[in-house]
Amino acid sequence: MTFKLMTDSCCDLPYTYLEANDVDFISMTIQLNGKELVDDLGKTFDYDWFLQEIKTGGMPTTSQVNVGRYIEFFRPFVEKKTPILYLAFSSGLSGSYQSAMQAVDILKEEYSDAEIYVIDTKAASLGEGLLVSEVIQLKEDGHSLEDILLWLSENKMTVHSWVTVDDLKHLERGGRISKAAAAIGGLMNVKPIIVVDEQGKLQNIGKVRGRGKALKKLADETVQGMIEPLKQTVFIAYAGDLESAEKVKEMIEEKIQVKEIRLHPLGPTITSHTGNGCIAVFSRGKKR
């Protein structure tokens, strides 16, 4: 039986790719300078302007998707009795997953036979996007919804995320590091090394001196953690620094041969919490 694949704009895949593969997405919203902005994966969002605002001190905030919007998102497919598979942004980073689950409960009161499967990816940005792209391929290959749900339960926790940021102010504001640590780190050119843990939360697991060492650490850890690299597509997300993303790509390719490495801008929702200059690398390996 056919099903509808859905996700949200935190997957950071280009909207053109999702449209070409018949994947609907729900947009996160961002508040900046008194304006509400819609993260629509580059369809209309002015990303260059947004990055410039952040560079000049702008501090955007984000909102989770509410229950009502999820009901509207799911309802057309429920009414057509089309099963839904929704890959959601990590519950460890947003309340949106819980909103989606509440929406499912409400819809099932009205449509008792509704089939809506909400998967907490425990991932963010192109880590979530990696899972979306894998499901697109499985669906193309003719796998059933049941097969894909089983695959996700066995494989979603094999997504590895290695992240560094260039500006510690945004991590401080989000409570990831203290004000004192941010101030000292900025003075000493310290760059944090961050992962997404098994609960889908950001964990600051180390630090290095200088941007170059941070990029090397991301590449080294990605290569070390990979399983069956020749079958893998590695994703690299970047906020305003394509050059650093390309350096990480080169470092990985110098050490190991992979199927493909795809580079995409880090979406504005995630960039709101990491700031300009964030680089994040996503691959698959052993379970987190």
Side-chain angles (χ1 to χ4, degrees), residues 14 30 73 103 144 148 168 244 254 286:
I30 300 160
F73 185 50
S144 67
I148 291 170
L168 298 173
S244 286
E254 282 170 8
K286 290 180 181 175

Side-chain angles (χ1 to χ4, degrees), residues 6 15 47 50 55 78 102 118 131 134 157 168 177 193 203 231 250 253-254:
M6 309 178 94
Y15 78 91
Y47 191 60
F50 180 74
K55 285 178 191 175
V78 172
Q102 289 173 41
V118 178
L131 289 172
E134 291 274 11
M157 296 307 291
L168 298 173
I177 57 174
I193 304 298
Q203 289 292 339
K231 296 181 181 178
E250 286 169 16
E253 288 174 336
E254 282 170 8

Side-chain angles (χ1 to χ4, degrees), residues 65-90:
V65 181
N66 64 38
V67 176
R69 285 186 61 214
Y70 272 119
I71 290 172
E72 291 171 15
F73 185 50
F74 296 144
R75 185 186 289 276
F77 300 97
V78 172
E79 288 176 344
K80 290 186 285 188
K81 299 188 184 299
T82 303
I84 292 167
L85 173 58
Y86 171 58
L87 300 189
F89 181 42
S90 173

Side-chain angles (χ1 to χ4, degrees), residues 59 165 167-184 192 204 273-274:
M59 284 286 181
V165 302
D167 182 351
L168 298 173
K169 289 180 204 160
H170 295 267
L171 287 182
E172 176 212 319
R173 187 183 55 157
R176 303 293 169 193
I177 57 174
S178 69
K179 194 168 188 177
I184 293 166
N204 186 358
H273 299 278
T274 63

